[in-house]
Short mmCIF file of all heavy atoms in Angstrom, two decimals:
data_model
loop_
_atom_site.label_atom_id
_atom_site.label_comp_id
_atom_site.label_asym_id
_atom_site.label_seq_id
_atom_site.Cartn_x
_atom_site.Cartn_y
_atom_site.Cartn_z
N GLU A 1 89.69 119.45 106.13
CA GLU A 1 89.04 118.25 105.59
C GLU A 1 88.44 118.54 104.22
O GLU A 1 88.44 117.69 103.31
CB GLU A 1 87.89 117.80 106.53
CG GLU A 1 88.41 117.27 107.90
CD GLU A 1 88.83 115.84 107.85
OE1 GLU A 1 88.99 115.29 106.78
OE2 GLU A 1 89.05 115.25 108.90
N GLN A 2 87.86 119.74 104.04
CA GLN A 2 87.25 120.10 102.80
C GLN A 2 87.38 121.63 102.61
O GLN A 2 86.99 122.41 103.50
CB GLN A 2 85.74 119.74 102.86
CG GLN A 2 84.99 119.85 101.57
CD GLN A 2 83.55 119.36 101.72
OE1 GLN A 2 83.23 118.62 102.62
NE2 GLN A 2 82.67 119.79 100.84
N PRO A 3 87.94 122.10 101.49
CA PRO A 3 88.17 123.55 101.33
C PRO A 3 86.84 124.36 101.32
O PRO A 3 86.86 125.52 101.68
CB PRO A 3 88.86 123.60 99.94
CG PRO A 3 89.52 122.32 99.78
CD PRO A 3 88.56 121.35 100.41
N GLU A 4 85.80 123.74 100.83
CA GLU A 4 84.49 124.47 100.76
C GLU A 4 83.35 123.49 100.71
O GLU A 4 83.30 122.60 99.90
CB GLU A 4 84.47 125.37 99.52
CG GLU A 4 83.27 126.33 99.50
CD GLU A 4 83.36 127.27 98.29
OE1 GLU A 4 84.35 127.24 97.54
OE2 GLU A 4 82.41 128.07 98.13
N ASP A 5 82.37 123.68 101.62
CA ASP A 5 81.17 122.86 101.60
C ASP A 5 80.08 123.61 100.88
O ASP A 5 80.28 124.63 100.27
CB ASP A 5 80.74 122.45 103.06
CG ASP A 5 80.34 123.66 103.89
OD1 ASP A 5 80.24 124.78 103.33
OD2 ASP A 5 80.08 123.45 105.08
N GLU A 6 78.82 123.07 100.92
CA GLU A 6 77.71 123.71 100.14
C GLU A 6 77.39 125.08 100.69
O GLU A 6 76.74 125.90 99.93
CB GLU A 6 76.47 122.79 100.19
CG GLU A 6 75.93 122.47 101.61
CD GLU A 6 76.61 121.25 102.21
OE1 GLU A 6 77.65 120.76 101.67
OE2 GLU A 6 76.15 120.79 103.27
N SER A 7 77.79 125.39 101.87
CA SER A 7 77.49 126.67 102.43
C SER A 7 78.65 127.67 102.25
O SER A 7 78.63 128.82 102.68
CB SER A 7 77.15 126.58 103.96
OG SER A 7 76.11 125.71 104.18
N GLY A 8 79.72 127.16 101.62
CA GLY A 8 80.88 128.01 101.37
C GLY A 8 81.90 128.07 102.52
O GLY A 8 82.86 128.83 102.47
N ASN A 9 81.68 127.23 103.51
CA ASN A 9 82.61 127.18 104.66
C ASN A 9 83.71 126.16 104.48
O ASN A 9 83.48 125.10 103.81
CB ASN A 9 81.84 126.92 105.98
CG ASN A 9 80.87 127.98 106.33
OD1 ASN A 9 81.24 129.17 106.32
ND2 ASN A 9 79.67 127.58 106.72
N VAL A 10 84.86 126.43 105.08
CA VAL A 10 85.95 125.45 105.13
C VAL A 10 85.60 124.45 106.23
O VAL A 10 85.32 124.82 107.34
CB VAL A 10 87.27 126.10 105.40
CG1 VAL A 10 88.38 125.08 105.41
CG2 VAL A 10 87.58 127.22 104.40
N VAL A 11 85.62 123.15 105.92
CA VAL A 11 85.32 122.10 106.92
C VAL A 11 86.70 121.69 107.57
O VAL A 11 87.62 121.29 106.87
CB VAL A 11 84.68 120.90 106.30
CG1 VAL A 11 84.40 119.84 107.39
CG2 VAL A 11 83.37 121.28 105.59
N LEU A 12 86.74 121.83 108.89
CA LEU A 12 88.00 121.62 109.63
C LEU A 12 87.87 120.43 110.62
O LEU A 12 86.74 120.04 111.00
CB LEU A 12 88.35 122.88 110.43
CG LEU A 12 88.50 124.17 109.67
CD1 LEU A 12 88.67 125.32 110.60
CD2 LEU A 12 89.71 124.08 108.73
N SER A 13 89.00 119.89 111.01
CA SER A 13 89.05 118.86 112.01
C SER A 13 90.15 119.22 113.01
O SER A 13 91.33 119.29 112.68
CB SER A 13 89.40 117.49 111.39
OG SER A 13 89.70 116.55 112.38
N MET A 14 89.71 119.43 114.26
CA MET A 14 90.69 119.74 115.33
C MET A 14 91.29 118.47 115.88
O MET A 14 92.47 118.42 116.28
CB MET A 14 90.00 120.52 116.44
CG MET A 14 89.73 121.98 116.03
SD MET A 14 88.86 122.91 117.32
CE MET A 14 90.05 122.84 118.69
N SER A 15 90.50 117.37 115.88
CA SER A 15 91.04 116.14 116.44
C SER A 15 92.11 115.58 115.53
O SER A 15 93.14 115.08 116.01
CB SER A 15 89.89 115.06 116.57
OG SER A 15 89.33 114.77 115.31
N ARG A 16 91.96 115.67 114.21
CA ARG A 16 92.99 115.20 113.30
C ARG A 16 94.23 116.10 113.32
O ARG A 16 95.33 115.64 113.11
CB ARG A 16 92.45 115.09 111.86
CG ARG A 16 93.41 114.42 110.93
CD ARG A 16 92.72 113.98 109.66
NE ARG A 16 93.69 113.30 108.78
CZ ARG A 16 93.36 112.87 107.57
NH1 ARG A 16 92.13 112.97 107.09
NH2 ARG A 16 94.30 112.29 106.80
N ALA A 17 94.02 117.40 113.66
CA ALA A 17 95.16 118.33 113.70
C ALA A 17 96.10 117.93 114.82
O ALA A 17 97.27 118.07 114.69
CB ALA A 17 94.62 119.77 113.94
N VAL A 18 95.51 117.43 115.92
CA VAL A 18 96.36 116.97 117.03
C VAL A 18 97.27 115.86 116.57
O VAL A 18 98.48 115.85 116.81
CB VAL A 18 95.51 116.52 118.21
CG1 VAL A 18 96.38 115.88 119.33
CG2 VAL A 18 94.66 117.63 118.82
N SER A 19 96.67 114.91 115.82
CA SER A 19 97.49 113.76 115.30
C SER A 19 98.51 114.25 114.32
O SER A 19 99.67 113.78 114.31
CB SER A 19 96.53 112.73 114.67
OG SER A 19 97.27 111.72 114.05
N GLU A 20 98.13 115.18 113.45
CA GLU A 20 99.05 115.71 112.44
C GLU A 20 100.22 116.42 113.06
O GLU A 20 101.38 116.25 112.63
CB GLU A 20 98.31 116.67 111.46
CG GLU A 20 97.35 116.00 110.50
CD GLU A 20 98.07 115.08 109.54
OE1 GLU A 20 99.10 115.46 108.96
OE2 GLU A 20 97.59 113.91 109.41
N ARG A 21 99.97 117.19 114.11
CA ARG A 21 101.05 117.89 114.80
C ARG A 21 102.00 116.86 115.45
O ARG A 21 103.20 117.07 115.52
CB ARG A 21 100.54 118.85 115.80
CG ARG A 21 99.77 120.05 115.21
CD ARG A 21 99.55 121.14 116.22
NE ARG A 21 100.81 121.84 116.49
CZ ARG A 21 100.99 122.66 117.50
NH1 ARG A 21 100.02 122.87 118.37
NH2 ARG A 21 102.13 123.29 117.70
N ASP A 22 101.44 115.78 116.01
CA ASP A 22 102.27 114.74 116.60
C ASP A 22 103.15 114.08 115.53
O ASP A 22 104.32 113.81 115.76
CB ASP A 22 101.39 113.70 117.28
CG ASP A 22 100.80 114.22 118.62
OD1 ASP A 22 101.28 115.18 119.13
OD2 ASP A 22 99.78 113.60 119.02
N TRP A 23 102.58 113.83 114.34
CA TRP A 23 103.35 113.25 113.25
C TRP A 23 104.47 114.18 112.86
O TRP A 23 105.60 113.79 112.55
CB TRP A 23 102.50 112.89 112.06
CG TRP A 23 101.77 111.61 112.21
CD1 TRP A 23 100.45 111.40 112.27
CD2 TRP A 23 102.36 110.29 112.24
NE1 TRP A 23 100.12 110.08 112.38
CE2 TRP A 23 101.28 109.34 112.36
CE3 TRP A 23 103.65 109.78 112.20
CZ2 TRP A 23 101.50 107.97 112.47
CZ3 TRP A 23 103.88 108.45 112.27
CH2 TRP A 23 102.81 107.56 112.41
N GLU A 24 104.18 115.51 112.75
CA GLU A 24 105.19 116.49 112.37
C GLU A 24 106.33 116.53 113.39
O GLU A 24 107.51 116.62 113.06
CB GLU A 24 104.54 117.90 112.29
CG GLU A 24 103.68 118.06 111.01
CD GLU A 24 103.15 119.46 110.89
OE1 GLU A 24 103.34 120.31 111.84
OE2 GLU A 24 102.47 119.79 109.90
N ARG A 25 105.96 116.42 114.69
CA ARG A 25 106.94 116.38 115.72
C ARG A 25 107.82 115.12 115.57
O ARG A 25 109.05 115.17 115.69
CB ARG A 25 106.30 116.40 117.09
CG ARG A 25 107.35 116.41 118.26
CD ARG A 25 106.71 116.22 119.60
NE ARG A 25 107.72 116.11 120.64
CZ ARG A 25 107.61 115.39 121.71
NH1 ARG A 25 106.51 114.68 121.93
NH2 ARG A 25 108.59 115.33 122.62
N ALA A 26 107.20 113.99 115.33
CA ALA A 26 107.92 112.72 115.17
C ALA A 26 108.89 112.80 114.02
O ALA A 26 110.05 112.37 114.07
CB ALA A 26 106.94 111.58 114.95
N GLU A 27 108.46 113.44 112.89
CA GLU A 27 109.28 113.57 111.71
C GLU A 27 110.49 114.51 112.01
O GLU A 27 111.60 114.26 111.51
CB GLU A 27 108.48 114.10 110.51
CG GLU A 27 107.53 113.03 110.00
CD GLU A 27 106.53 113.59 108.99
OE1 GLU A 27 106.41 114.83 108.89
OE2 GLU A 27 105.95 112.80 108.25
N GLU A 28 110.23 115.52 112.81
CA GLU A 28 111.28 116.46 113.18
C GLU A 28 112.32 115.77 114.06
O GLU A 28 113.53 115.96 113.94
CB GLU A 28 110.70 117.73 113.86
CG GLU A 28 111.74 118.80 114.15
CD GLU A 28 111.12 120.03 114.76
OE1 GLU A 28 109.93 120.27 114.49
OE2 GLU A 28 111.79 120.74 115.50
N LEU A 29 111.81 115.00 115.05
CA LEU A 29 112.73 114.27 115.92
C LEU A 29 113.55 113.27 115.14
O LEU A 29 114.73 113.08 115.40
CB LEU A 29 111.95 113.51 116.97
CG LEU A 29 111.21 114.42 117.99
CD1 LEU A 29 110.34 113.52 118.90
CD2 LEU A 29 112.19 115.17 118.84
N TYR A 30 112.96 112.64 114.13
CA TYR A 30 113.67 111.68 113.28
C TYR A 30 114.75 112.41 112.45
O TYR A 30 115.89 111.95 112.33
CB TYR A 30 112.68 110.97 112.32
CG TYR A 30 113.33 110.12 111.33
CD1 TYR A 30 113.97 108.89 111.65
CD2 TYR A 30 113.39 110.48 109.96
CE1 TYR A 30 114.55 108.11 110.71
CE2 TYR A 30 113.99 109.70 109.00
CZ TYR A 30 114.57 108.49 109.38
OH TYR A 30 115.19 107.68 108.46
N ALA A 31 114.36 113.56 111.86
CA ALA A 31 115.30 114.28 110.97
C ALA A 31 116.52 114.79 111.78
O ALA A 31 117.64 114.76 111.24
CB ALA A 31 114.58 115.47 110.33
N HIS A 32 116.35 115.20 112.99
CA HIS A 32 117.42 115.74 113.83
C HIS A 32 118.03 114.73 114.73
O HIS A 32 119.00 115.01 115.48
CB HIS A 32 116.96 116.95 114.62
CG HIS A 32 116.55 118.13 113.76
ND1 HIS A 32 115.28 118.35 113.36
CD2 HIS A 32 117.28 119.13 113.24
CE1 HIS A 32 115.21 119.48 112.63
NE2 HIS A 32 116.40 119.95 112.54
N GLN A 33 117.46 113.52 114.78
CA GLN A 33 117.93 112.44 115.65
C GLN A 33 118.05 112.96 117.07
O GLN A 33 119.09 112.75 117.80
CB GLN A 33 119.26 111.85 115.17
CG GLN A 33 119.07 110.95 113.91
CD GLN A 33 118.18 109.75 114.28
OE1 GLN A 33 118.65 108.81 114.94
NE2 GLN A 33 116.98 109.72 113.82
N THR A 34 116.97 113.61 117.55
CA THR A 34 116.93 114.15 118.90
C THR A 34 116.61 113.04 119.90
O THR A 34 115.76 112.16 119.66
CB THR A 34 115.85 115.22 118.98
OG1 THR A 34 116.07 116.22 117.94
CG2 THR A 34 115.82 115.90 120.33
N VAL A 35 117.26 113.09 121.04
CA VAL A 35 117.00 112.17 122.12
C VAL A 35 115.76 112.65 122.92
O VAL A 35 115.75 113.81 123.37
CB VAL A 35 118.20 111.95 123.05
CG1 VAL A 35 117.85 111.04 124.21
CG2 VAL A 35 119.41 111.40 122.26
N VAL A 36 114.81 111.80 123.10
CA VAL A 36 113.53 112.14 123.85
C VAL A 36 113.39 111.18 125.05
O VAL A 36 113.89 110.06 124.99
CB VAL A 36 112.33 111.95 122.91
CG1 VAL A 36 111.08 112.58 123.58
CG2 VAL A 36 112.59 112.62 121.61
N GLU A 37 112.73 111.68 126.07
CA GLU A 37 112.47 110.83 127.27
C GLU A 37 110.95 110.76 127.46
O GLU A 37 110.31 111.82 127.58
CB GLU A 37 113.15 111.38 128.49
CG GLU A 37 114.65 111.19 128.51
CD GLU A 37 115.33 111.54 129.84
OE1 GLU A 37 114.54 111.96 130.72
OE2 GLU A 37 116.50 111.36 129.95
N GLU A 38 110.39 109.58 127.48
CA GLU A 38 109.00 109.39 127.77
C GLU A 38 108.80 108.06 128.60
O GLU A 38 109.68 107.22 128.55
CB GLU A 38 108.16 109.27 126.48
CG GLU A 38 108.16 110.54 125.65
CD GLU A 38 107.34 111.68 126.23
OE1 GLU A 38 106.58 111.42 127.21
OE2 GLU A 38 107.40 112.79 125.69
N LYS A 39 107.67 107.91 129.22
CA LYS A 39 107.40 106.71 129.99
C LYS A 39 106.83 105.61 129.14
O LYS A 39 106.14 105.83 128.14
CB LYS A 39 106.38 107.03 131.10
CG LYS A 39 106.97 107.91 132.20
CD LYS A 39 105.94 108.07 133.34
CE LYS A 39 106.56 108.93 134.45
NZ LYS A 39 105.60 109.12 135.58
N VAL A 40 107.14 104.37 129.49
CA VAL A 40 106.59 103.20 128.83
C VAL A 40 105.11 103.05 129.23
O VAL A 40 104.78 103.02 130.40
CB VAL A 40 107.33 101.88 129.21
CG1 VAL A 40 106.70 100.70 128.61
CG2 VAL A 40 108.81 101.99 128.79
N ALA A 41 104.23 103.04 128.19
CA ALA A 41 102.80 103.07 128.46
C ALA A 41 102.20 101.62 128.44
O ALA A 41 101.15 101.38 129.01
CB ALA A 41 102.08 103.91 127.44
N GLY A 42 102.91 100.71 127.78
CA GLY A 42 102.38 99.34 127.68
C GLY A 42 103.35 98.47 126.93
O GLY A 42 104.51 98.80 126.71
N PHE A 43 102.86 97.30 126.44
CA PHE A 43 103.74 96.36 125.75
C PHE A 43 102.88 95.39 124.91
O PHE A 43 101.66 95.29 125.08
CB PHE A 43 104.60 95.57 126.75
CG PHE A 43 103.81 94.79 127.75
CD1 PHE A 43 103.35 93.53 127.50
CD2 PHE A 43 103.49 95.37 128.98
CE1 PHE A 43 102.64 92.80 128.42
CE2 PHE A 43 102.79 94.67 129.94
CZ PHE A 43 102.33 93.42 129.67
N ASN A 44 103.53 94.77 123.98
CA ASN A 44 102.91 93.64 123.27
C ASN A 44 103.93 92.47 123.23
O ASN A 44 104.97 92.59 123.94
CB ASN A 44 102.44 94.06 121.86
CG ASN A 44 103.55 94.57 120.99
OD1 ASN A 44 104.71 94.23 121.13
ND2 ASN A 44 103.19 95.50 120.08
N LYS A 45 103.71 91.48 122.44
CA LYS A 45 104.63 90.34 122.50
C LYS A 45 106.05 90.60 121.98
O LYS A 45 106.94 89.85 122.29
CB LYS A 45 103.99 89.18 121.71
CG LYS A 45 103.90 89.40 120.20
CD LYS A 45 103.34 88.18 119.51
CE LYS A 45 103.21 88.39 117.99
NZ LYS A 45 102.70 87.19 117.32
#
């Protein structure tokens, strides 16, 4: 999130990392056109 704060520490986000890894996986599946199987979780109109 931030390379260095006022204390000199790198500020990290683990919750956002989960989302980023999911996006990376989605991009990889798209690039290779891999067939995936998952359950339907819900719907909209």
Side-chain angles (χ1 to χ4, degrees):
E1 293 277 11
Q2 190 177 339
E4 188 175 358
D5 64 7
E6 59 273 10
S7 302
N9 294 315
V10 182
V11 181
L12 304 172
S13 169
M14 288 177 61
S15 62
R16 188 163 180 183
V18 174
S19 175
E20 287 297 312
R21 292 195 73 194
D22 286 341
W23 279 115
E24 286 184 355
R25 181 190 176 212
E27 289 170 345
E28 186 176 333
L29 292 174
Y30 173 73
H32 295 93
Q33 285 298 284
T34 307
V35 176
V36 191
E37 290 189 355
E38 296 288 352
K39 290 183 178 180
V40 175
F43 57 87
N44 58 30
K45 65 179 182 179

